[in-house]
């Protein structure tokens, strides 16, 4: 194999596929990036078996000799980053891949390219098309609620509940639950649980129209430039529809920026906050076990007959407020000891308050 490729293109792609490498066992073929030059297309792949990413490059490359190679992904990226802008030559013999630029030359040992695992195919899988930016932004809104430390494997990912006329995207850590609704008519009902790592990578990657293929085990996204896959989490996701309620006795509209200012003032001292809603103001107080104290108040006309307060982790509310675009949101509540809801547009977050 002998290929000439621009440094900026090669560095960007090798950097993007590095999170998909096997990091613990450096002797594994999955710690290597797979490189294939066929016809006028350069293919670059990486996978740790659980998640994978492949790129196709046809522009700004010159393939002088077809072939296949592997290279340790971490070392290859370090080499490319250290080179100057311009063209880089990748060339192989039976055992090594050579990286050359002007008077600089590097040699890395290869593994057998035929041992590199095949990516899953799309045969017999369900399909839908969607704007990648929409799915990426939607997952970003709920992803703070995913509990990656939970022994319940189901909630270490996000649920895509594909229904007849909509998709509900759901995440929970058992202290809060977020749901975001996409109004899309996809026809076939299905449930997928996508791991948090895959969601993190999706947010970096999805910016164009994509085709999505799936079954009970695999989620595949294909665009003209890349192919992405992740294994899905098997299990029964909690029945979130029993938790989501609309029958709150009290509903008030609040200003996002004012609430952020009040909460951040307290969060400098305490990760837990007590918020009291009065008829004409909102009081924010730290909630610590030590004797430290922080308070701030904002004037706000709520027209409440009775004051209402709850204690909650500041992060829970700030995560919600950072996910919305509207300047106002709705707070629904019943009793200080019962879950309350934050709502803006198609995003809802149910939060369980702490004991005072």
């Amino acid at each position: 194999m002998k290929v000439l490729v621009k440094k900026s293109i090669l560095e960007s792609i090798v950097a993007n596929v590095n999170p998909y490498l096997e990091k613990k066992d450096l002797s594994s073929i999955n710690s290597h990036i797979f490189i294939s030059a066929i016809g006028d297309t350069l293919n670059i792949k990486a996978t740790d078996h659980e998640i994978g990413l492949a790129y196709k490059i046809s522009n700004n490359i010159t393939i002088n000799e077809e072939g296949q190679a592997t290279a340790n992904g971490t070392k290859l990226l370090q080499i490319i980053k250290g080179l100057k802008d311009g063209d880089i030559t990748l060339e192989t013999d039976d055992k090594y891949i050579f990286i050359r630029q002007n008077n600089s030359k590097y040699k890395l040992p290869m593994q057998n390219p035929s041992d590199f695992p095949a990516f899953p195919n799309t045969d017999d899988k369900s399909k839908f098309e969607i704007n990648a930016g929409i799915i990426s932004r939607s997952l970003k809104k709920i992803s703070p609620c995913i509990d990656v430390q939970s022994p319940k494997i189901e909630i270490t990912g996000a649920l895509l509940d594909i229904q007849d006329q909509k998709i509900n995207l759901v995440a929970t850590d058992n202290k809060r639950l977020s749901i975001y609704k996409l109004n899309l008519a996809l026809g076939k009902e299905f449930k997928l649980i996508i791991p948090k790592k895959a969601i993190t990578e999706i947010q970096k990657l999805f910016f164009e129209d994509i085709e999505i293929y799936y079954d009970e085990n695999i989620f595949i996204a294909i665009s003209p430039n890349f192919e992405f896959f992740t294994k899905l989490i098997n299990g029964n996701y909690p029945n979130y529809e029993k938790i989501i309620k609309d029958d709150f006795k009290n509903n008030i509209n609040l200003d996002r920026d004012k609430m952020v200012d009040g909460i951040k003032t307290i969060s400098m001292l305490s990760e837990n906050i007590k918020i009291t809603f009065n008829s004409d103001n909102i009081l924010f107080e730290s909630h610590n076990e030590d004797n430290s104290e922080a308070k701030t108040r904002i004037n706000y006309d709520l027209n409440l007959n009775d004051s209402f307060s709850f204690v909650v982790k500041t992060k829970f509310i700030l995560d919600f407020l950072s996910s919305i675009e509207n300047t106002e949101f709705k707070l629904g509540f019943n009793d200080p000891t019962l879950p309350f809801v934050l709502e803006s547009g198609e995003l809802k977050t149910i939060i369980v308050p702490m004991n005072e």
Side-chain angles (χ1 to χ4, degrees):
M1 183 186 79
K2 187 174 182 180
V3 177
L4 192 70
V5 58
K6 289 190 176 297
K7 187 234 182 184
S8 58
I9 294 173
L10 187 61
E11 181 179 351
S12 174
I13 291 176
V14 172
N16 286 347
V17 301
N18 250 259
Y20 298 76
L21 297 170
E22 168 63 54
K23 297 292 197 280
K24 295 179 181 178
D25 182 5
L26 298 183
S27 66
S28 165
I29 185 71
N30 297 97
S31 68
H32 278 225
I33 288 172
F34 175 83
I35 304 169
S36 171
I38 301 175
D40 61 352
T41 302
L42 184 67
N43 294 277
I44 297 178
K45 300 181 180 181
T47 179
D48 63 1
H49 285 300
E50 299 296 320
I51 187 171
L53 180 62
Y55 280 97
K56 294 181 179 179
I57 318 165
S58 299
N59 298 322
N60 298 306
I61 62 165
T62 301
I63 297 176
N64 295 315
E65 294 180 18
E66 294 185 347
Q68 296 179 338
T70 77
N72 180 278
T74 303
K75 291 182 179 179
L76 180 61
L77 181 59
Q78 290 172 342
I79 291 170
I80 296 169
K81 283 184 174 181
L83 296 175
K84 296 185 168 94
D85 290 337
D87 291 334
I88 294 173
T89 299
L90 302 177
E91 189 173 5
T92 62
D93 62 14
D94 291 339
K95 295 182 178 180
Y96 298 96
I97 182 169
F98 301 90
I99 304 97
R100 296 189 176 98
Q101 186 186 68
N102 301 324
N103 296 323
S104 300
K105 176 182 176 181
Y106 301 86
K107 179 177 77 172
L108 292 176
M110 295 196 306
Q111 295 198 30
N112 188 344
S114 63
D115 292 337
F116 195 85
F119 274 35
N121 61 53
T122 59
D123 297 346
D124 301 321
K125 291 179 173 57
S126 299
K127 173 189 174 184
F128 65 86
E129 297 182 15
I130 191 170
N131 179 275
I134 291 175
I135 196 85
S136 176
R137 290 192 298 272
S138 302
L139 287 168
K140 185 177 181 180
K141 291 178 183 295
I142 64 165
S143 61
C145 290
I146 297 173
D147 186 0
V148 294
Q149 304 298 327
S150 176
K152 297 179 180 179
I153 187 67
E154 295 87 356
I155 67 171
T156 62
L159 174 70
L160 268 68
D161 186 1
I162 302 169
Q163 300 183 12
D164 184 33
Q165 297 294 322
K166 64 183 179 181
I167 301 178
N168 286 336
L169 296 93
V170 187
T172 184
D173 57 9
N174 283 329
K175 297 296 184 183
R176 54 183 169 158
L177 183 146
S178 280
I179 176 172
Y180 187 79
K181 183 173 71 174
L182 287 174
N183 294 307
L184 294 170
L186 300 177
K188 181 179 179 180
E189 296 190 357
F190 207 82
K191 288 181 169 64
L192 313 172
I193 305 177
I194 301 179
K196 177 65 178 286
K197 178 180 178 180
I199 291 171
T200 300
E201 296 306 320
I202 284 171
Q203 291 174 31
K204 300 176 187 175
L205 191 64
F206 284 18
F207 295 102
E208 54 192 289
D209 290 342
I210 54 174
E211 296 176 342
I212 290 177
Y213 299 82
Y214 62 91
D215 59 22
E216 63 273 14
N217 298 311
I218 291 289
F219 175 95
I220 302 171
I222 298 176
S223 83
N225 299 313
F226 70 81
E227 179 179 340
F228 165 92
F229 83 85
T230 179
K231 289 185 178 179
L232 298 171
I233 296 173
N234 292 319
N236 295 316
Y237 202 82
N239 188 347
Y240 69 91
E241 291 181 313
K242 284 188 175 181
I243 301 171
I244 297 295
K245 297 180 180 180
D246 296 314
D247 56 344
F248 289 93
K249 292 186 295 185
N250 301 285
N251 293 280
I252 55 177
N253 293 319
L254 297 169
D255 183 274
R256 179 192 61 193
D257 293 340
K258 288 182 178 180
M259 290 297 292
V260 168
D261 287 344
I263 293 168
K264 284 189 172 181
T265 300
I266 305 304
S267 67
M268 291 185 289
L269 186 63
S270 174
E271 64 178 18
N272 302 323
I273 189 170
K274 179 179 180 181
I275 306 178
T276 302
F277 300 90
N278 300 304
S279 178
D280 58 357
N281 68 76
I282 303 173
L283 176 64
F284 303 86
E285 301 173 89
S286 58
H287 193 265
N288 294 323
E289 293 182 358
D290 60 20
N291 292 322
S292 59
E293 184 178 294
K295 287 185 180 182
T296 191
R297 187 192 310 267
I298 60 173
N299 294 324
Y300 211 104
D301 188 9
L302 297 174
N303 292 317
L304 291 175
N305 293 326
D306 299 303
S307 295
F308 170 83
S309 65
F310 53 73
V311 178
V312 67
K313 285 188 176 295
T314 58
K315 173 178 167 47
F316 289 177
I317 299 184
L318 290 177
D319 282 345
F320 172 84
L321 296 179
S322 66
S323 298
I324 65 175
E325 290 84 28
N326 297 330
T327 58
E328 281 195 344
F329 67 98
K330 184 171 75 173
L331 166 66
F333 58 92
N334 290 321
D335 182 270
T337 61
L338 297 176
F340 60 90
V341 65
L342 306 176
E343 184 174 356
S344 176
E346 301 297 338
L347 178 65
K348 287 184 180 180
T349 298
I350 301 284
I351 299 176
V352 179
M354 301 170 63
N355 295 324
E356 290 197 44

